Amino acid sequence: MEGLEEEEKAEKIASWLKKIFGDQPIPKYEVNSRTTDILYHLSECNRARDRDISLVIEDLKQKAREYESEARYLQDLLMESVNLSFTSLSSIGSSYLNALVDSALVLETKDTSLASFIPAVNSLAADFFRNKARNEEMEVELNKLGKNLTATLILEKCLREDLKKEELHLSMEKAKVDRRISNIDFLKAKSDDLRLRIKAAEEQLSARGMDASLSHQSLMSLSEKLAELKQQTAPLKKKLESYLDLMPNPSLAQVKIEEAKRELNSMDAELTKKVDMMELLPDQSQRRFT
């Protein structure tokens, strides 16, 4: 059974190829089940398409015969009603008749009667006004879009200018930051160098027997204490000046004055001692280094 089907397919394929190529030789191809199925499918599709085309051609021929019959009927009707044929029309009449026919074709009316033209023209006019209104709406929308586009372009231009300014500002700030970083690195290196030199000098002075109280740290502490003593003596001086401005009991005032003088002298002595120690340090350091 399958063998018969294969032989039938092969015959149909051969007939189809002969029809396609005509007098030309049929190209050789490998005969197997796959190529047979493909060619058979193509032949069937081609036959179905040919049948469809034949039906369309027959339909068109039938419509042509109907149009010719209707044309002859109209010609006979025109001849009987007004004793006028298409061939007897003048050139102007022929042009008018052609224009009428063209208008009917454009308006897609079933005939050229006034009853067919009026609805078609009304429909065409309605379409025209609808399209006109739609075009006006689109024009208004287009104007809005144009204004929005203009505003957007202006905004984009302003943003670009602001971006350029910010980029310039950032570049300047970056240059400042780079300079500051460079200065910080320089100062850090200088500070480390000075710290090492101070440490070496302190070690050298300590090896030579310098008192630890004369070190840089000790002097800084003494300077802070000196500032504190100055702050403490300032109110005592003001208090002493207030006593001097009063007219108290002479004996009691004399006692208070003596106490204040002793306290002030003590602080002055301590202050002088601290100042002398601070002045003595540079001289000793200079003599030792020299």
Side-chain angles (χ1 to χ4, degrees), residues 210-274:
M210 185 191 75
D211 189 0
S213 61
L214 298 178
S215 64
H216 177 72
Q217 189 67 28
S218 299
L219 292 177
M220 291 297 294
S221 178
L222 290 175
S223 176
E224 292 175 357
K225 290 181 180 179
L226 177 61
E228 292 178 358
L229 290 174
K230 287 182 178 181
Q231 292 178 357
Q232 292 175 4
T233 57
L236 293 176
K237 288 183 179 180
K238 290 182 179 180
K239 185 176 180 181
L240 179 61
E241 291 175 356
S242 65
Y243 284 130
L244 294 176
D245 293 336
L246 297 176
M247 295 296 296
N249 187 351
S251 59
L252 183 60
Q254 188 66 31
V255 172
K256 294 293 184 181
I257 291 171
E258 291 299 328
E259 290 178 357
K261 284 184 177 180
R262 285 195 298 273
E263 186 176 357
L264 182 60
N265 291 332
S266 175
M267 290 184 178
D268 286 339
E270 186 176 358
L271 180 61
T272 303
K273 180 180 178 182
K274 300 294 184 183

Side-chain angles (χ1 to χ4, degrees), residues 17-27:
L17 292 175
K18 185 176 181 180
K19 181 180 177 182
I20 294 296
F21 289 97
D23 297 334
Q24 296 180 1
I26 299 174

Side-chain angles (χ1 to χ4, degrees), residues 133-178:
R134 190 179 298 110
N135 290 335
E136 290 176 354
E137 293 177 357
M138 292 178 65
E139 187 175 357
V140 172
E141 189 68 23
L142 184 61
N143 291 331
K144 290 181 181 179
L145 292 175
K147 292 179 181 179
N148 293 335
L149 179 61
T150 302
T152 303
L153 292 175
I154 293 174
L155 179 61
E156 182 183 3
K157 183 179 179 182
C158 295
L159 291 176
R160 288 182 183 276
E161 292 177 355
D162 293 340
L163 181 60
K164 289 181 181 179
K165 292 179 181 178
E166 288 299 324
E167 288 177 351
L168 179 61
H169 178 70
L170 288 175
S171 62
M172 295 175 63
E173 290 296 326
K174 186 176 182 299
K176 291 181 181 179
V177 170
D178 292 339

Side-chain angles (χ1 to χ4, degrees), residues 166-201:
E166 288 299 324
E167 288 177 351
L168 179 61
H169 178 70
L170 288 175
S171 62
M172 295 175 63
E173 290 296 326
K174 186 176 182 299
K176 291 181 181 179
V177 170
D178 292 339
R179 287 196 299 271
R180 289 176 182 175
I181 292 175
S182 178
N183 293 335
I184 290 173
D185 293 338
F186 173 76
L187 292 175
K188 184 178 179 181
K190 192 69 175 178
S191 175
D192 294 338
D193 180 63
L194 290 175
R195 189 180 294 107
L196 293 174
R197 292 172 62 183
I198 290 171
K199 184 178 181 181

